[in-house]
Amino acid sequence: MSDLPSIAIVDANNFYVSCERIFDPRLEGKPVVVLSNNDGCVVARSQEAKALGIDMASPWHSIAAEATAQGVIARSSNYELYGDLSARTVELLGRYTSSQEVYSIDESFIRLTGTPPQVSAIAREIRIATRKLIGLPVSIGIAPSKTLAKLANRGSKTAPALLGVCNLAAYSPAQLTSILQSVEVGQVWGIGGRTAKKLIGLGVYTAAALRDADAAGIRRRFGVVQERVVQELRGIDCLPLEEVHADREQIQFSRSFAIPISTVPELQEVLSVYTQRASARLRRQNSLARLMRCYASTSPFQDEHVTHAVSLAFPDPTDDPVVIYRAALTALGPQLQAHRQYVRVGVSLHEFSSRDTHAALDIFDTNPAPFAAGDVLDSITAKYGQETLGLGLAGFKSNRAWTMRRNMVSPRATTHWDELATVFAH
């Protein structure tokens, strides 16, 4: 067998729940759910919770009493913990490949090379390392294309005999056809519900039937994207990996509030907090931003729902928190209305460039070293914590009424010194 390039998708099992279990082993084997912003709906479930019939997106307030009586343990979303463990997993996978695409917080595509047995062995090594070094259980699907890798990943989760690794290259053509015949066309990655209904109307019921369909005909009816799905099911790699880049294409802070806010000073405080955090993230990646977007929105379920949104460009790319906050306040502030009940505010930065490429020399400048507010804030918050000091309305204040409700949040054990896990020896 010759060496062939393979695409593997590494998927953390029940990611949010698995993150919670790393630092609280008492949750192992018990039904656990993780809730959305403001402890609203179920967004993650352990296998035990699924077995009890708890559905995704179930409103927690409507099922809390019954679920608790069944022994279900609820946790608020701990985004700091989940994001850090996701980043650690991405770094670990980078030790096994030079080509990686971070598809979501709990999934990454990677490229592996070798014979099918060699690639499967690498995948098993990745599973062991991820469990041992990070604490996360993962399942891995391997195939010549992304679409087939996603199908293989389903098999790695549903067939216990595979021990978490499914490599479709290990199957004969007849066996692969049998596998694809067992998959409904609507379950194929890239086929939406509406497209699936149209395909079924054409007699295409399974992944195997879609693979064997006339690709040109599929393109005429549905477009080039769906034609690529057909080719991908044939093992032709049509969706190259989007490599991981150090810099983000955008930086965004947007949250729903536990308690709606209606005063302009509170909205200004939110803008102050979000612009300061966004500028800090810019400096961490040594970037400047040219464009900013801001918005404030009331609940879409209330009468006279409104969204105020503005976009603005800075005269010069910047990471200065004072400049960014003043711009946000100047642009969005006049639109804010005190009688509205705002439930969400967002700030996003775009069009990045390297900080090093914008060092300017002004021969008429009498102050060649202006006060660098951002760098001073970074040094203070790095030493004493994010809430230690802020600009204007964002300064010296914590436990704000508008912050997201997380009554059952676990400690941020990997990102905050004062929340490190306590280990007891017997």
Side-chain angles (χ1 to χ4, degrees):
M1 290 182 288
S2 60
D3 289 2
L4 296 172
S6 298
I7 294 177
I9 183 165
V10 182
D11 182 8
N13 301 335
N14 305 318
F15 178 63
Y16 287 0
V17 171
S18 295
C19 290
E20 296 288 343
R21 284 173 166 170
I22 291 174
F23 295 100
D24 191 354
R26 295 170 297 180
L27 299 179
E28 291 286 352
K30 296 181 179 179
V32 180
V33 297
V34 176
L35 307 178
S36 64
N37 292 352
N38 300 316
D39 295 340
C41 301
V42 174
V43 294
R45 305 162 295 164
S46 68
Q47 291 301 124
E48 297 81 3
K50 295 175 184 178
L52 291 175
I54 296 178
D55 295 326
M56 282 288 283
S58 297
W60 179 244
H61 69 86
S62 66
I63 67 169
E66 181 180 355
T68 302
Q70 292 178 302
V72 175
I73 301 169
R75 289 284 185 268
S76 303
S77 293
N78 189 339
Y79 298 115
E80 298 91 339
L81 177 66
Y82 308 154
D84 184 64
L85 293 175
S86 175
R88 291 173 186 235
T89 303
V90 168
E91 189 279 329
L92 177 62
L93 294 178
R95 304 176 191 178
Y96 295 89
T97 180
S98 59
S99 299
Q100 178 177 181
E101 175 188 338
V102 180
Y103 181 64
S104 66
I105 193 171
D106 61 342
E107 293 178 293
S108 284
F109 288 105
I110 61 175
R111 192 176 300 280
L112 301 173
T113 302
T115 64
Q118 290 171 337
V119 169
S120 296
I122 295 172
R124 287 190 288 270
E125 184 179 339
I126 290 173
R127 288 193 76 241
I128 293 171
T130 307
R131 185 63 161 169
K132 179 180 179 181
L133 301 179
I134 300 176
L136 290 174
V138 300
S139 298
I140 303 177
I142 307 166
S145 68
K146 282 184 177 178
T147 303
L148 286 175
K150 290 285 284 188
L151 287 177
N153 192 44
R154 291 181 61 222
S156 70
K157 292 182 176 182
T158 57
L162 296 177
L163 300 177
V165 175
C166 178
N167 188 349
L168 292 186
Y171 295 92
S172 68
Q175 290 173 319
L176 181 56
T177 295
S178 179
I179 292 171
L180 296 181
Q181 286 173 341
S182 69
V183 178
E184 296 177 4
V185 70
Q187 295 176 327
V188 175
W189 186 53
I191 300 296
R194 189 175 303 175
T195 301
K197 289 181 180 179
K198 293 179 180 179
L199 287 169
I200 290 172
L202 296 174
V204 180
Y205 297 97
T206 67
L210 182 59
R211 178 198 63 182
D212 298 334
D214 175 48
I218 293 294
R219 178 170 184 163
R220 284 193 299 271
R221 285 179 174 269
F222 301 100
V224 66
V225 173
Q226 306 306 329
E227 181 195 18
R228 288 185 187 134
V229 175
V230 174
Q231 301 293 355
E232 286 261 318
L233 288 173
R234 296 173 180 175
I236 301 171
D237 183 10
C238 300
L239 302 172
L241 297 188
E242 298 177 10
E243 304 291 338
V244 174
H245 297 286
D247 293 349
R248 301 165 180 261
E249 293 183 1
Q250 72 171 9
I251 290 174
Q252 178 169 323
F253 281 92
S254 175
R255 293 287 186 274
S256 297
F257 305 141
I259 301 173
I261 59 179
S262 58
T263 69
V264 172
E266 283 181 305
L267 290 165
Q268 293 173 342
E269 181 183 319
V270 176
L271 287 176
S272 182
V273 171
Y274 286 2
T275 53
Q276 180 180 323
R277 292 179 180 175
S279 68
R281 213 175 261 181
L282 265 180
R283 291 187 294 278
R284 283 199 294 273
Q285 68 178 44
N286 197 38
S287 295
L288 304 176
R290 167 75 71 176
L291 182 69
M292 176 169 63
R293 295 191 179 97
C294 309
Y295 75 88
S297 178
T298 62
S299 172
F301 303 107
Q302 302 213 344
D303 295 336
E304 299 183 2
H305 164 62
V306 296
T307 295
H308 310 303
V310 294
S311 297
L312 58 98
F314 300 108
D316 296 300
T318 184
D319 63 3
D320 189 319
V322 177
V323 172
I324 294 173
Y325 168 60
R326 286 177 177 171
L329 191 60
T330 301
L332 188 61
Q335 298 191 34
L336 302 178
Q337 302 170 9
H339 67 281
R340 299 286 186 184
Q341 296 285 314
Y342 293 97
V343 299
R344 194 173 184 89
V345 169
V347 172
S348 61
L349 300 175
H350 308 262
E351 295 190 11
F352 299 156
S353 57
S354 172
R355 196 179 190 184
D356 300 330
T357 63
H358 288 275
L361 175 63
D362 187 348
I363 61 174
F364 301 106
D365 189 359
T366 59
N367 181 17
F371 176 62
D375 293 335
V376 172
L377 285 171
D378 291 344
S379 63
I380 293 173
T381 56
K383 186 173 182 179
Y384 297 106
Q386 190 177 62
E387 302 294 338
T388 305
L389 183 65
L391 295 171
L393 292 170
F396 299 111
K397 186 174 182 181
S398 59
N399 298 321
R400 301 173 175 90
W402 49 264
T403 53
M404 185 169 53
R405 182 174 64 247
R406 295 194 291 179
N407 294 332
M408 296 167 284
V409 68
S410 55
R412 297 165 294 183
T414 63
T415 58
H416 287 66
W417 284 106
D418 56 347
E419 297 182 27
L420 290 177
T422 301
V423 179
F424 299 94
H426 294 283

